[in-house]
Amino acid sequence: MNLSSANGQSPNLFARMAEKITWFTGTTAAFCTAAGIVLVWAITGPVFRYSETWQLVINTGTTIVTFLMVFLIQRAQNKDSLVLHLKLNELLAATKGASNRLINAQDFTEEEILMLHQYFCLLADKAKADRDLGRTHSVEEAEENHASKLQAHSL
Protein backbone atom coordinates (compact mmCIF):
# COMPACT_ATOMS: atom_id res chain seq x y z
CA MET A 1 0.00 0.00 0.00
CA ASN A 2 2.45 2.62 -1.21
CA LEU A 3 0.63 5.87 -1.86
CA SER A 4 2.11 9.17 -2.96
CA SER A 5 0.68 12.60 -2.43
CA ALA A 6 0.20 15.09 -5.23
CA ASN A 7 3.63 16.62 -4.69
CA GLY A 8 5.39 13.26 -5.07
CA GLN A 9 6.23 12.84 -1.37
CA SER A 10 5.00 9.94 0.71
CA PRO A 11 2.00 10.64 2.95
CA ASN A 12 2.58 11.54 6.58
CA LEU A 13 2.55 8.98 9.39
CA PHE A 14 -1.11 9.57 10.27
CA ALA A 15 -2.22 9.15 6.66
CA ARG A 16 -0.31 5.86 6.30
CA MET A 17 -1.65 4.59 9.62
CA ALA A 18 -5.22 5.60 8.75
CA GLU A 19 -4.94 3.84 5.36
CA LYS A 20 -3.74 0.63 6.96
CA ILE A 21 -6.36 0.68 9.72
CA THR A 22 -9.11 1.43 7.22
CA TRP A 23 -7.96 -1.43 5.02
CA PHE A 24 -7.60 -3.87 7.94
CA THR A 25 -11.01 -3.10 9.44
CA GLY A 26 -12.62 -4.24 6.19
CA THR A 27 -11.04 -7.69 6.34
CA THR A 28 -12.36 -11.01 7.60
CA ALA A 29 -9.56 -11.07 10.17
CA ALA A 30 -10.79 -7.80 11.69
CA PHE A 31 -14.34 -9.13 11.90
CA CYS A 32 -13.13 -12.37 13.51
CA THR A 33 -11.02 -10.38 15.98
CA ALA A 34 -14.01 -8.25 16.97
CA ALA A 35 -16.27 -11.29 17.23
CA GLY A 36 -13.59 -13.03 19.34
CA ILE A 37 -13.39 -10.09 21.73
CA VAL A 38 -17.17 -10.12 22.17
CA LEU A 39 -17.11 -13.90 22.69
CA VAL A 40 -14.37 -13.66 25.32
CA TRP A 41 -16.28 -10.86 27.01
CA ALA A 42 -19.50 -12.92 27.02
CA ILE A 43 -17.74 -16.03 28.34
CA THR A 44 -16.18 -14.05 31.20
CA GLY A 45 -19.61 -12.80 32.32
CA PRO A 46 -20.13 -15.53 34.92
CA VAL A 47 -16.57 -15.05 36.23
CA PHE A 48 -17.28 -11.38 36.92
CA ARG A 49 -20.90 -12.12 37.97
CA TYR A 50 -22.21 -9.94 35.15
CA SER A 51 -21.18 -6.90 37.17
CA GLU A 52 -21.58 -3.30 36.10
CA THR A 53 -17.81 -3.09 35.59
CA TRP A 54 -17.93 -6.12 33.30
CA GLN A 55 -20.67 -4.43 31.24
CA LEU A 56 -18.83 -1.12 31.33
CA VAL A 57 -15.74 -2.70 29.76
CA ILE A 58 -17.53 -3.71 26.54
CA ASN A 59 -19.63 -0.53 26.44
CA THR A 60 -16.59 1.71 26.79
CA GLY A 61 -14.53 -0.29 24.30
CA THR A 62 -17.21 -0.33 21.64
CA THR A 63 -17.99 3.36 22.14
CA ILE A 64 -14.34 4.34 21.67
CA VAL A 65 -13.89 2.10 18.63
CA THR A 66 -17.14 3.39 17.09
CA PHE A 67 -16.16 7.01 17.70
CA LEU A 68 -12.77 6.57 16.03
CA MET A 69 -14.13 4.47 13.16
CA VAL A 70 -16.65 7.16 12.22
CA PHE A 71 -13.76 9.50 11.42
CA LEU A 72 -11.73 6.84 9.62
CA ILE A 73 -14.72 5.84 7.51
CA GLN A 74 -15.47 9.48 6.67
CA ARG A 75 -11.83 10.02 5.70
CA ALA A 76 -11.93 7.01 3.40
CA GLN A 77 -15.23 8.16 1.87
CA ASN A 78 -13.86 11.66 1.28
CA LYS A 79 -10.82 10.25 -0.50
CA ASP A 80 -12.88 7.80 -2.57
CA SER A 81 -15.32 10.56 -3.50
CA LEU A 82 -12.50 12.89 -4.57
CA VAL A 83 -10.89 10.16 -6.70
CA LEU A 84 -14.26 9.35 -8.30
CA HIS A 85 -14.80 13.04 -9.11
CA LEU A 86 -11.33 13.30 -10.63
CA LYS A 87 -12.00 10.30 -12.86
CA LEU A 88 -15.36 11.68 -13.94
CA ASN A 89 -13.79 15.10 -14.61
CA GLU A 90 -11.18 13.41 -16.82
CA LEU A 91 -13.92 11.63 -18.77
CA LEU A 92 -15.90 14.84 -19.20
CA ALA A 93 -12.84 16.79 -20.30
CA ALA A 94 -11.81 14.08 -22.78
CA THR A 95 -15.23 13.33 -24.26
CA LYS A 96 -16.19 15.38 -27.29
CA GLY A 97 -19.71 16.70 -26.94
CA ALA A 98 -19.80 16.33 -23.16
CA SER A 99 -20.76 19.44 -21.25
CA ASN A 100 -17.65 20.86 -19.58
CA ARG A 101 -19.90 22.77 -17.19
CA LEU A 102 -20.07 19.55 -15.15
CA ILE A 103 -16.35 19.47 -14.37
CA ASN A 104 -16.03 19.88 -10.60
CA ALA A 105 -19.80 19.72 -10.19
CA GLN A 106 -19.21 18.52 -6.63
CA ASP A 107 -18.23 22.12 -5.79
CA PHE A 108 -21.49 23.63 -7.08
CA THR A 109 -24.04 25.19 -4.77
CA GLU A 110 -27.31 23.39 -4.25
CA GLU A 111 -29.03 25.97 -6.49
CA GLU A 112 -26.53 25.34 -9.30
CA ILE A 113 -27.03 21.59 -8.99
CA LEU A 114 -30.81 22.00 -9.16
CA MET A 115 -30.46 24.25 -12.22
CA LEU A 116 -28.28 21.66 -13.97
CA HIS A 117 -30.75 18.94 -12.98
CA GLN A 118 -33.48 20.93 -14.72
CA TYR A 119 -31.28 21.22 -17.82
CA PHE A 120 -30.77 17.47 -17.91
CA CYS A 121 -34.47 16.88 -17.38
CA LEU A 122 -34.98 19.07 -20.46
CA LEU A 123 -32.36 17.03 -22.32
CA ALA A 124 -34.15 13.80 -21.36
CA ASP A 125 -37.48 15.23 -22.53
CA LYS A 126 -35.98 16.30 -25.86
CA ALA A 127 -34.33 12.89 -26.30
CA LYS A 128 -37.68 11.21 -25.68
CA ALA A 129 -39.32 13.50 -28.22
CA ASP A 130 -36.59 12.68 -30.75
CA ARG A 131 -36.93 8.95 -30.01
CA ASP A 132 -33.15 8.68 -30.42
CA LEU A 133 -31.39 8.60 -27.05
CA GLY A 134 -27.90 8.45 -28.57
CA ARG A 135 -28.24 11.42 -30.93
CA THR A 136 -27.61 14.44 -28.67
CA HIS A 137 -24.89 14.85 -26.08
CA SER A 138 -25.52 18.20 -24.44
CA VAL A 139 -28.41 20.49 -23.67
CA GLU A 140 -27.21 22.92 -26.31
CA GLU A 141 -27.10 20.21 -29.01
CA ALA A 142 -30.50 18.93 -27.91
CA GLU A 143 -32.01 22.42 -28.19
CA GLU A 144 -30.49 22.93 -31.66
CA ASN A 145 -31.66 19.50 -32.82
CA HIS A 146 -35.15 20.04 -31.44
CA ALA A 147 -35.40 23.53 -33.00
CA SER A 148 -34.32 22.22 -36.40
CA LYS A 149 -36.93 19.45 -36.23
CA LEU A 150 -39.66 21.92 -35.29
CA GLN A 151 -38.59 24.13 -38.19
CA ALA A 152 -38.69 21.17 -40.59
CA HIS A 153 -42.18 20.17 -39.41
CA SER A 154 -43.53 23.71 -39.79
CA LEU A 155 -42.42 23.91 -43.45
Side-chain angles (χ1 to χ4, degrees):
M1 193 176 283
N2 187 7
L3 300 175
S4 296
S5 62
N7 62 8
Q9 297 176 354
S10 62
N12 63 35
L13 177 64
F14 174 75
R16 288 192 314 266
M17 184 178 68
E19 289 278 339
K20 289 179 181 180
I21 292 170
T22 302
W23 175 83
F24 174 73
T25 56
T27 65
T28 302
F31 175 79
C32 291
T33 301
I37 290 169
V38 171
L39 184 63
V40 167
W41 171 80
I43 290 171
T44 62
V47 173
F48 294 102
R49 296 189 182 120
Y50 303 101
S51 68
E52 287 184 22
T53 303
W54 173 79
Q55 293 177 27
L56 189 60
V57 166
I58 198 73
N59 289 340
T60 303
T62 56
T63 300
I64 291 169
V65 168
T66 301
F67 179 76
L68 295 174
M69 285 305 299
V70 165
F71 294 101
L72 278 176
I73 291 168
Q74 187 60 54
R75 181 187 181 281
Q77 285 183 328
N78 289 349
K79 181 181 175 190
D80 289 346
S81 178
L82 181 58
V83 169
L84 179 63
H85 289 296
L86 289 171
K87 290 176 180 181
L88 290 173
N89 289 343
E90 171 67 13
L91 291 173
L92 284 171
T95 304
K96 184 178 180 181
S99 178
N100 285 341
R101 74 176 83 189
L102 293 178
I103 294 175
N104 287 333
Q106 72 275 9
D107 297 331
F108 291 172
T109 65
E110 196 167 334
E111 291 80 24
E112 290 170 322
I113 292 169
L114 290 173
M115 182 184 73
L116 280 169
H117 177 71
Q118 291 171 350
Y119 275 125
F120 283 100
C121 287
L122 176 63
L123 175 61
D125 289 343
K126 290 181 183 291
K128 285 178 191 173
D130 292 339
R131 298 193 185 272
D132 185 358
L133 296 177
R135 180 148 170 74
T136 56
H137 300 287
S138 69
V139 173
E140 293 81 4
E141 288 174 313
E143 287 173 345
E144 289 172 14
N145 186 33
H146 190 69
S148 67
K149 285 187 175 187
L150 287 176
Q151 215 172 24
H153 288 315
S154 65
L155 294 177

